[in-house]
Amino acid sequence: MAEAEMRAPRADATRNRDHLLAVATRVFMSADAEPSMRAIAREAGVGIATVYRHFPTRESLVDAVYRDQVVRLTAGARELLGQLPPAAAMRRWMDLFGDWIATKNGMLDTLLAMIESGEIAHAQTRSELLAAITTILDAGRVAGDLRSDVTAEDIAASLIGIFTVAPRREHEAKAGRLLDLLMDGLRPAARPA
């Protein structure tokens, strides 16, 4: 293998890529329709060539944002459990999930085409997200602050329903209230004295 192929990306190139990824995520999250690559470049304060140097196609950018969000959700479950009691971790994780849904809305057409073509394995993502929810549920069952009869699928379906009727950007207060109501339903019933 050539020496150039073995070298890790320069630190400034990695920083630039990470910056573009963060900006693209923010732009996708706030967009009503899929933003252009030029709009993302403008928001990042770079030229379009810089965006294409890091992400040669719209699909490569969407794939990077999508995978980054999935990693944030899966790693986020463990990180939140390390910082908070399980019920509080679950509620915070629900906010992360809402951000993921909002981000997907800004890249939906490209994302759906990539899932349909097999470029993104939707089933694998679903498994990873259900595993993240299960991690928090299991900790909550052990701690006694989350019900034992709730499944990860129950929570995923509830979250999708909530963010369908109350998208984060337009109805953040309503989404928060519905998430809080969901959390009330996830807590074990108080035992009679």
Side-chain angles (χ1 to χ4, degrees), residues 100-131:
W100 181 63
I101 293 292
T103 302
K104 283 175 44 178
N105 287 336
M107 56 186 189
L108 196 56
D109 292 339
T110 302
L111 189 60
L112 290 174
M114 293 174 73
I115 290 169
E116 188 174 310
S117 72
E119 290 178 67
I120 290 181
H122 181 66
Q124 178 183 345
T125 300
R126 178 173 160 65
S127 295
E128 290 173 13
L129 295 179
L130 290 176

Side-chain angles (χ1 to χ4, degrees), residues 17-119:
R17 184 183 188 286
D18 291 347
H19 172 68
L20 286 170
L21 195 58
V23 169
T25 300
R26 197 171 56 245
V27 170
F28 284 136
M29 189 181 294
S30 63
D32 291 326
E34 285 201 38
S36 68
M37 297 287 272
R38 192 168 302 285
I40 293 167
R42 190 172 36 254
E43 185 68 25
V46 299
I48 191 72
T50 300
V51 174
Y52 281 115
R53 188 174 320 115
H54 292 281
F55 305 102
T57 64
R58 173 183 263 317
E59 290 78 11
S60 65
L61 177 60
V62 166
D63 182 62
V65 168
Y66 182 81
R67 291 183 193 284
D68 181 63
Q69 291 290 299
V70 171
V71 166
R72 287 178 190 277
L73 281 168
T74 54
R78 291 184 300 277
E79 290 169 10
L80 289 168
L81 280 172
Q83 301 166 4
L84 302 166
M90 178 65 79
R91 179 60 184 84
R92 287 262 184 94
W93 191 88
M94 290 175 177
D95 288 332
L96 292 177
F97 188 88
D99 291 345
W100 181 63
I101 293 292
T103 302
K104 283 175 44 178
N105 287 336
M107 56 186 189
L108 196 56
D109 292 339
T110 302
L111 189 60
L112 290 174
M114 293 174 73
I115 290 169
E116 188 174 310
S117 72
E119 290 178 67

Side-chain angles (χ1 to χ4, degrees), residues 35 76 130 147 151 158 167:
L130 290 176
R147 289 172 46 174
T151 67
S158 298

